[in-house]
Amino acid sequence: MSPTCKCCGKPVTKDETAATKKLINRGATEYLCIPCLARHFDVAEEAIRERIAYFKAMGCTLFE
Ligand SMILES: [Zn+2]
């Protein structure tokens, strides 16, 4: 069963599960989608997407 956002219940992508681990808790077993991550941190969704792009550029293996 694929993971869902603990806040809104939408299916989360691999990027979103990885972003939750990087931004909130490395050992997270509950995940947030990008819009809910943005709300959690009170930032624009674009800022979360930029962080994901940054982690990918750094070669973080959590991301595909
Ligand atoms: Zn959500």
Side-chain angles (χ1 to χ4, degrees), residues 13-19 22-23 34 48-64:
T13 64
K14 179 132 202 257
D15 278 358
E16 289 168 331
T17 59
K22 289 293 280 190
L23 297 171
I34 287 174
I48 302 295
R49 291 182 209 283
E50 280 171 13
R51 296 295 288 165
I52 290 172
Y54 173 78
F55 292 137
K56 283 182 177 175
M58 293 284 95
C60 177
T61 54
L62 288 172
F63 296 85
E64 287 186 320

Side-chain angles (χ1 to χ4, degrees), residues 12-37:
V12 290
T13 64
K14 179 132 202 257
D15 278 358
E16 289 168 331
T17 59
T20 302
K21 289 181 180 174
K22 289 293 280 190
L23 297 171
I24 295 181
N25 176 2
R26 179 103 200 175
T29 55
E30 296 182 307
Y31 307 105
L32 292 173
C33 66
I34 287 174
C36 293
L37 279 170

